[in-house]
Amino acid sequence: MIFQEFWFVLSCLPWVLPLNEYSSFLKASPRSVQVNTGPEVDVWEILQNAPASEYEKIAFQYGITDLRGMLKRLKKMKKEEKKSAAFLKKLEPAYQVEKGHKIKLAIEVANPDAEVKWLKNGQEIHPSGRYIFESIGNKRLLTINHCSLADDAAYTCVIGDEKCFTELFVKEPPVLILHNLEDQMVMKGERVEFECEVSEEGSPVKWEKDGVELTRDEAFKYRFKKDGRKHVLIINEATKEDCGHYKVKTNGGESTAELLVQEKQLEVYQSIADLTVKAKEEAVFKCEVSDENVKGIWYKNGVEVKPDARTHITHIGRIHKLAIDDVKPEDEGDYTFVPEGYAFNLSAKLNFLEVKIDFVPRQDPPKIHMDCVGHIAESTIVVVAGNKLRLDVPITGDPAPTVVWTKSEKVITNADGRIHVESTKGHCIFTIEGAERQDEGTYSVIVRNPAGEDTADITVKVVDVPDPPQAPKILSVGEDSCVVTWEPPLFDGGQPVLGYVLERKKKKSYRWMRLNYDLFKELTYEAKRMIEGVEYEMRVYAVNTIGMSGHSPASQPFVPIAPTSEPTGLSVDDISDTTISLKWRAPERMGSAPFDGYGVEYCKEGTDEWVPAFEGLIDRNSVIIRDLPTGEKMQFRVRAYNLAGPSEPATLAQAVTIQEIMQRPKIWVPRNLRQTLVKKVGETINIVIPFQGKPRPKVTWTKDGEPLDPKKVSIRNSDTDSILFIRTSDHKDTGGYEVNVQIENVEDKANVTIQIVDLPGPPQNLKIQDVWGFNVALEWKPPKNNGNCDITGYTIQKADKKTMEWFNVYEHYRRTNCVVSDLIMGNDYVFRVYAANMVGLSPEPCFSKDSAYIQKTGIVYKPPVYKEHNFSEAPKFTHPLVNRSVIAGYNATLSCSVRGIPKPKVIWYKNKVDISNEAKYRMFSKQGVLTLEIRKPCPFDGGVYTCKAINDSGEDIVECKLEVRSQVTKEDMKK
């Protein structure tokens, strides 16, 4: 398999490639692939960082196929290439393209007239509809249209004797799952088929059961079928061990379905019933079971019944019948039907009714005989809705009485549609075709003759399957389960509800799966074995002795989700007489449902009454709980909530006493305040000094041992810090400030030094000390006002009295005297000096009172004498001629390059004979590049070609060999 090859190659990679070559291979390989429709990912970086056990999984996920061939080809690529004379720009080490797209391979040549050949796996490529050659200036391009897997190969570009190589990798698009797997529920021994459809015909898939890959084992338990884009997993005979979640994977997606295997259970749709028959009549016992393939045996009083002339046993589909013709008294007894392979039976009794004939005198009053009517209570007949009800009531009387049937004092006639009445000798018959619920009631039969009348009441009860329950409701959900509840049906069908049957399905599926085969008698059920994150629906059936109702409406869709894990790191951050500050970290496992927040609770030690600290949930990871009883020991806990409910609580290890803890006062001076704080005049001063201490300490400030002026300085204190604020600072605010933090007799102190600085004043007494030649000596004194900081230097400027334009002579000059040089003779100069400190230059300069005049002198300028440089250079070839082999009949060129000053004269020779004036040859010279063009050479034009360059300084010669091959005709190729 491809994945096994991938595993073998990568696990052996340190022996296949040296470590440095493996690194080069990763850098030269295609760096990214497209996964489905998502962003590009760096596959090689993933491979470098992943353990070896994950290689197979990564290969399958990102669609890496022919990795072995790719490794072999990339191993052959050169790490470093020598500088090429034919190529200005070579092919990239590797290219990547998606299947069906086009790709361009580009190079740049040094000679625009150079001929280029393209090879694929060593075979020359010729222009066609798929391969397009382009030449744009120095660029040469090969375009491959509609790339297929056959284009995944090594490509070579050839110019003369030089070559450059590249690898083209054709990447197949990710395979998507178009038709998902469906949940299956089968009986033990049945065949199971999981089917899916993928987007690419013939693409490989991987099948898993509960996270374990399925293969064709020795017992051939699993069979894998592939038909075009369809993939089928077949289990011939399902067993209980086959229950679980089955998953199909491609490199572009996955689909999961569940298989449930149930033991065979035979359901009885219709049981046999007791019979009471007369002599010569037919007795028929009938039952219906759920499996039409099940056979059975009939017994009478424990003895198997064998078919004979009067006894007939039939089995048609799910219906089993025992029919006895011409019933005799000895046929009375207990009859039992036993299904083969099942440990239960169906029993009924056959009663033989003897009809005694007594002498009845003439004018016998009518009599209704009700003792032979099947009933469960006195004069009550029960019929299943939809079945036929036939009441055959024996009557006597002489003369034959008339019969009238009534219901609610309304006479029933044959015109009533489904209800029919008829009278025969000795019987009156009442029939209801397809009994319905409205047929329930008390029916009266009245018989009359001249001798009198008789009346009997018969109560008919129509029973049916229950009405469907209302839509069930989902009470809660878990990681793989849910709790569902429902109400009993509004009408139970006239019989008590024996239990319920539940079904579930995935929201996007059409297949409902039964959750229970034994009737569930409660109204709340916990459904399990669901997949977290998948949307489900539930529905319910009600069952009574008559049968199963229709299904209820589906519940609202729901998604099984798990609550989060408990919050971590719960601890006490701070505590006072009435408050406590708690903090914690988020749960390690958040689950698939959106996070709703945290619930914080507390209770007194020794009680179980947890009180919410806040109304509703909070989304912070720290809280302050207020108004707690002072001195009480309290316990606290935090729970995380999502749609699945609360997590397990995170509880403090022990109870906490609500009281202030004495803490020694301590000042924490910030690092920037441990040195002198320098501010400019007019700036705002805002100093924050953090401290600790409980209870809240008393804070005082002083400056140079004196209290602060509240009109000038503002002080603001809190529980954890003190702030000194001066809106507009001046020189008077310079000094040492001391802060004192005190709790009872314990205190801590800290000092802060503030320096307010300003621009300096101008320097003093600038004088011109001396003037000589082109130089002037200046001297001055420091300024009286240094701006409350050291003078860092001076700026000296000069100005010609004619223009009075000032120019800097020195900047950041440290001394108080200097010499100004390079002045222009004949000009009169004045000078000024600025003082500078850390704030900047003084606003005003100090001017020189006098000026300095630079006298003219009789100096004559003598220009220097330079020796003229000789630029002449003997000819020298910088690029030699190269031996060539060309085909006869096609123009050929020989090129070289030369330099020399003055420009050398160039002479071309063939076999040492000057060819400068021959028409067959053309010579070109451009920017030192010399080209000899041979027009349509023949084999006689082969030989040694020489190029000679000559100037006054010398000469130089290069030569090469030219071979002219004859053309190969089609006839030669055939030979």
Side-chain angles (χ1 to χ4, degrees):
M1 294 177 65
I2 290 174
F3 305 117
Q4 294 171 347
E5 294 178 5
F6 174 83
W7 171 272
F8 172 78
V9 172
L10 285 188
S11 62
C12 298
L13 196 56
W15 290 269
V16 176
L17 293 174
L19 183 60
N20 58 347
E21 292 188 16
Y22 173 63
S23 176
S24 301
F25 151 66
L26 291 181
K27 294 178 181 177
S29 301
R31 293 292 299 173
S32 62
V33 297
Q34 189 77 15
V35 181
N36 295 350
T37 56
E40 289 194 348
V41 296
D42 194 332
V43 174
W44 303 113
E45 184 177 346
I46 293 175
L47 288 175
Q48 280 181 304
N49 297 328
S53 60
E54 296 291 326
Y55 287 159
E56 181 178 356
K57 181 177 179 182
I58 295 171
F60 187 83
Q61 180 177 359
Y62 296 110
I64 300 174
T65 55
D66 189 17
L67 185 65
R68 173 174 291 182
M70 182 175 69
L71 287 174
K72 288 181 179 179
R73 296 200 302 268
L74 288 179
K75 181 183 176 183
K76 297 178 182 178
M77 296 171 61
K78 297 179 180 179
K79 292 172 54 181
E80 295 181 359
E81 297 182 357
K82 297 180 180 179
K83 187 175 180 181
S84 170
F87 293 93
L88 295 180
K89 181 179 180 182
K90 293 191 175 184
L91 294 168
E92 296 292 335
Y95 294 85
Q96 177 175 274
V97 64
E98 288 191 1
K99 181 180 177 183
H101 291 203
K102 73 175 181 179
I103 186 71
K104 286 190 176 184
L105 310 182
I107 65 165
E108 290 186 17
V109 298
N111 182 5
D113 299 325
E115 294 184 3
V116 174
K117 288 195 297 183
W118 294 92
L119 307 178
K120 173 185 174 183
N121 289 338
Q123 300 296 322
E124 185 174 358
I125 304 173
H126 299 284
S128 64
R130 293 190 63 246
Y131 299 105
I132 299 173
F133 296 175
E134 296 179 79
S135 177
I136 304 173
N138 282 26
K139 289 187 177 180
R140 300 292 186 270
L141 295 96
L142 167 62
T143 302
I144 306 175
N145 291 318
H146 306 292
C147 290
S148 64
L149 294 181
D151 295 315
D152 189 289
Y155 290 82
T156 307
C157 180
V158 181
I159 302 177
D161 295 334
E162 292 198 39
K163 302 178 182 180
C164 63
F165 305 89
T166 189
E167 290 284 340
L168 176 61
F169 298 100
V170 180
K171 184 187 65 169
E172 295 188 83
V175 179
L176 306 178
I177 296 179
L178 303 180
H179 187 275
N180 290 320
L181 302 178
E182 294 287 347
D183 293 338
Q184 301 266 7
M185 182 175 62
V186 298
M187 303 302 294
K188 182 178 179 180
E190 290 184 349
R191 177 187 173 100
V192 180
E193 290 188 5
F194 285 106
E195 181 179 306
C196 74
E197 183 178 350
V198 298
S199 60
E200 188 74 21
E201 184 173 346
S203 61
V205 301
K206 181 192 289 187
W207 292 91
E208 293 182 357
K209 175 181 181 290
D210 296 329
V212 179
E213 183 178 0
L214 301 180
T215 58
R216 293 181 175 87
D217 55 13
E218 296 178 0
F220 294 100
K221 182 174 185 61
Y222 302 105
R223 291 198 301 115
F224 307 96
K225 181 179 176 183
K226 181 163 61 174
D227 183 10
R229 296 191 300 181
K230 290 185 178 180
H231 294 261
V232 184
L233 169 64
I234 300 174
I235 305 174
N236 285 324
E237 295 184 0
T239 63
K240 293 291 288 184
E241 291 74 18
D242 295 322
C243 291
H245 290 92
Y246 289 78
K247 181 181 293 185
V248 60
K249 286 183 176 181
T250 69
N251 62 350
E254 61 183 40
S255 177
T256 305
E258 183 179 7
L259 173 63
L260 295 178
V261 180
Q262 297 290 341
E263 296 285 353
K264 285 190 176 180
Q265 295 187 3
L266 192 66
E267 297 186 29
V268 179
Y269 294 155
Q270 180 180 348
S271 183
I272 58 178
D274 295 343
L275 296 177
T276 302
V277 295
K278 301 176 184 177
K280 305 294 183 180
E281 290 185 346
E282 179 186 24
V284 179
F285 290 103
K286 173 184 173 184
C287 66
E288 183 178 359
V289 295
S290 59
D291 191 345
E292 60 184 16
N293 297 320
V294 171
K295 299 179 181 179
I297 303 175
W298 291 90
Y299 295 90
K300 175 188 175 185
N301 297 328
V303 179
E304 182 178 354
V305 177
K306 300 292 184 180
D308 55 26
R310 289 193 309 112
T311 306
H312 310 283
I313 298 175
T314 60
H315 172 204
I316 301 175
R318 298 181 300 187
I319 298 176
H320 298 260
K321 284 185 180 181
L322 170 64
I324 304 174
D325 297 334
D326 191 15
V327 174
K328 298 179 180 180
E330 57 266 25
D331 294 326
E332 188 174 47
D334 293 325
Y335 287 81
T336 303
F337 175 73
V338 179
E340 289 186 1
Y342 295 91
F344 72 93
N345 56 62
L346 306 175
S347 300
K349 189 171 185 180
L350 174 64
N351 298 311
F352 181 78
L353 177 64
E354 295 186 14
V355 180
K356 297 180 180 181
I357 303 176
D358 298 329
F359 175 75
V360 181
R362 296 278 182 185
Q363 297 292 326
D364 187 14
K367 179 66 175 177
I368 300 173
H369 302 275
M370 296 290 293
D371 56 340
C372 64
V373 179
H375 56 277
I376 59 173
E378 191 67 27
S379 300
T380 299
I381 306 299
V382 178
V383 62
V384 178
N387 288 356
K388 179 179 179 179
L389 172 64
R390 186 174 186 272
L391 300 178
D392 191 347
V393 181
I395 60 175
T396 58
D398 192 15
T402 60
V403 180
V404 178
W405 289 87
T406 64
K407 178 185 179 184
S408 302
E409 301 181 357
K410 181 180 178 181
V411 177
I412 300 173
T413 64
N414 285 332
D416 290 345
R418 295 180 299 103
I419 301 177
H420 308 282
V421 295
E422 60 179 311
S423 298
T424 62
K425 185 177 180 179
H427 292 273
C428 60
I429 302 171
F430 175 78
T431 305
I432 301 178
E433 298 287 348
E436 297 178 357
R437 191 177 301 177
Q438 60 264 28
D439 296 328
E440 282 190 344
T442 301
Y443 294 83
S444 299
V445 56
I446 304 172
V447 293
R448 296 188 183 95
N449 70 1
E453 69 176 35
D454 193 8
T455 303
D457 293 334
I458 301 174
T459 302
V460 175
K461 183 177 182 181
V462 180
V463 295
D464 198 357
V465 296
D467 286 347
Q470 299 296 315
K473 298 179 180 179
I474 306 301
L475 293 183
S476 62
V477 293
E479 182 176 3
D480 62 348
S481 64
C482 75
V483 177
V484 59
T485 185
W486 61 92
E487 296 294 333
L490 299 178
F491 175 65
D492 62 4
Q495 295 291 328
V497 175
L498 300 179
Y500 300 90
V501 173
L502 292 94
E503 291 182 337
R504 76 156 188 255
K505 79 174 183 69
K506 297 176 183 177
K507 175 67 176 175
K508 296 182 180 179
S509 175
Y510 60 87
R511 189 191 300 270
W512 288 90
M513 298 186 63
R514 189 166 177 174
L515 299 182
N516 62 305
Y517 282 90
D518 297 331
L519 294 180
F520 188 74
K521 302 183 183 299
E522 304 297 331
L523 297 176
T524 302
Y525 182 84
E526 183 179 7
K528 298 182 177 181
R529 293 178 58 83
M530 289 183 278
I531 303 172
E532 184 179 6
V534 176
E535 198 171 20
Y536 288 90
E537 294 176 323
M538 301 282 292
R539 68 183 185 186
V540 185
Y541 298 83
V543 181
N544 62 7
T545 54
I546 308 303
M548 183 183 296
S549 71
H551 61 77
S552 70
S555 67
Q556 290 293 327
F558 65 94
V559 178
I561 51 177
T564 70
S565 60
E566 70 275 6
T568 58
L570 177 62
S571 61
V572 177
D573 192 30
D574 197 5
I575 191 171
S576 69
D577 287 341
T578 59
T579 65
I580 189 172
S581 177
L582 302 175
K583 62 181 180 181
W584 61 89
R585 294 189 297 274
E588 294 180 356
R589 181 177 55 80
M590 299 301 293
S592 60
F595 180 65
D596 293 333
Y598 299 98
V600 183
E601 298 174 318
Y602 62 86
C603 73
K604 293 184 179 179
E605 187 180 32
T607 67
D608 295 329
E609 184 179 353
W610 290 94
V611 179
F614 304 95
E615 183 177 351
L617 302 178
I618 61 173
D619 55 5
R620 305 185 306 276
N621 288 66
S622 61
V623 294
I624 298 177
I625 305 176
R626 306 181 186 278
D627 301 326
L628 296 174
T630 303
E632 288 284 354
K633 283 193 173 183
M634 308 290 288
Q635 184 59 274
F636 298 87
R637 71 181 185 185
V638 180
R639 296 191 290 183
Y641 286 76
N642 63 5
L643 189 60
S647 68
E648 292 296 321
T651 308
L652 290 176
Q654 57 187 7
V656 179
T657 303
I658 307 302
Q659 64 182 13
E660 189 80 54
I661 299 175
M662 176 66 179
Q663 187 179 27
R664 185 181 183 87
K666 176 67 176 178
I667 298 175
W668 305 99
V669 180
R671 185 179 300 276
N672 65 314
L673 297 179
R674 296 175 188 175
Q675 310 175 42
T676 300
L677 178 64
V678 179
K679 291 285 185 178
K680 297 179 183 179
V681 172
E683 287 188 340
T684 299
I685 298 176
N686 189 11
I687 298 176
V688 180
I689 304 294
F691 58 80
Q692 68 180 29
K694 291 185 178 180
R696 180 172 177 173
K698 178 182 178 182
V699 182
T700 56
W701 285 83
T702 59
K703 177 193 174 188
D704 299 331
E706 299 293 332
L708 300 180
D709 183 2
K711 296 180 180 180
K712 179 67 176 176
V713 183
S714 298
I715 301 296
R716 187 179 65 195
N717 300 321
S718 68
D719 293 341
T720 58
D721 58 37
S722 180
I723 300 175
L724 181 144
F725 180 77
I726 302 175
R727 185 175 301 278
T728 304
S729 60
D730 57 29
H731 290 295
K732 296 180 180 179
D733 297 319
T734 300
Y737 293 77
E738 182 182 76
V739 57
N740 181 288
V741 179
Q742 184 175 1
I743 301 177
E744 297 179 356
N745 296 327
V746 182
E747 65 179 8
D748 191 17
K749 297 180 180 181
N751 294 305
V752 177
T753 302
I754 299 177
Q755 180 180 358
I756 309 299
V757 297
D758 197 0
L759 294 172
Q764 302 294 313
N765 197 17
L766 175 60
K767 295 180 179 179
I768 298 176
Q769 293 293 102
D770 193 7
V771 178
W772 72 98
F774 303 102
N775 307 303
V776 175
L778 301 178
E779 187 178 11
W780 62 92
K781 293 183 180 179
K784 294 181 179 179
N785 177 19
N786 62 1
N788 202 26
C789 60
D790 295 335
I791 298 298
T792 58
Y794 299 92
T795 298
I796 299 96
Q797 295 180 339
K798 66 180 179 180
D800 185 354
K801 292 185 70 175
K802 297 177 183 178
T803 61
M804 287 306 293
E805 293 183 11
W806 293 95
F807 298 93
N808 286 352
V809 178
Y810 297 105
E811 290 183 312
H812 310 295
Y813 191 77
R814 304 288 295 182
R815 297 192 294 269
T816 57
N817 54 76
C818 71
V819 175
V820 180
S821 302
D822 299 327
L823 299 177
I824 299 174
M825 58 184 175
N827 288 351
D828 198 6
Y829 290 91
V830 292
F831 303 90
R832 66 183 183 185
V833 180
Y834 289 90
N837 62 6
M838 62 183 299
V839 182
L841 291 176
S842 59
E844 298 293 334
C846 175
F847 291 91
S848 61
K849 296 180 180 180
D850 302 324
S851 62
Y853 179 74
I854 307 303
Q855 298 288 339
K856 294 181 180 181
T857 62
I859 299 175
V860 178
Y861 174 72
K862 294 182 180 180
V865 177
Y866 297 99
K867 184 179 180 181
E868 185 175 355
H869 181 70
N870 183 11
F871 290 94
S872 60
E873 180 183 2
K876 182 178 181 181
F877 284 94
T878 59
H879 192 287
L881 291 173
V882 180
N883 295 338
R884 293 203 58 190
S885 176
V886 300
I887 299 174
Y890 294 91
N891 288 357
T893 58
L894 301 175
S895 297
C896 61
S897 61
V898 68
R899 72 180 183 188
I901 300 175
K903 182 178 179 181
K905 178 182 177 181
V906 177
I907 305 173
W908 287 90
Y909 299 91
K910 174 192 172 187
N911 296 329
K912 299 184 179 180
V913 177
D914 188 352
I915 58 175
S916 300
N917 297 321
E918 293 189 21
K920 188 175 183 68
Y921 304 96
R922 287 200 305 171
M923 294 82 171
F924 303 95
S925 176
K926 184 178 180 180
Q927 300 294 329
V929 177
L930 309 180
T931 304
L932 173 64
E933 180 181 357
I934 308 171
R935 298 180 180 180
K936 297 183 179 181
C938 62
F940 298 104
D941 291 319
V944 177
Y945 284 80
T946 306
C947 182
K948 178 186 289 187
I950 306 171
N951 68 5
D952 295 337
S953 299
E955 65 178 34
D956 195 7
I957 295 176
V958 291
E959 63 181 22
C960 70
K961 291 182 180 180
L962 176 65
E963 177 189 359
V964 181
R965 306 192 307 274
S966 60
Q967 296 187 10
V968 180
T969 64
K970 293 183 178 179
E971 289 73 12
D972 296 333
M973 294 179 66
K974 291 179 180 179
K975 292 177 183 179

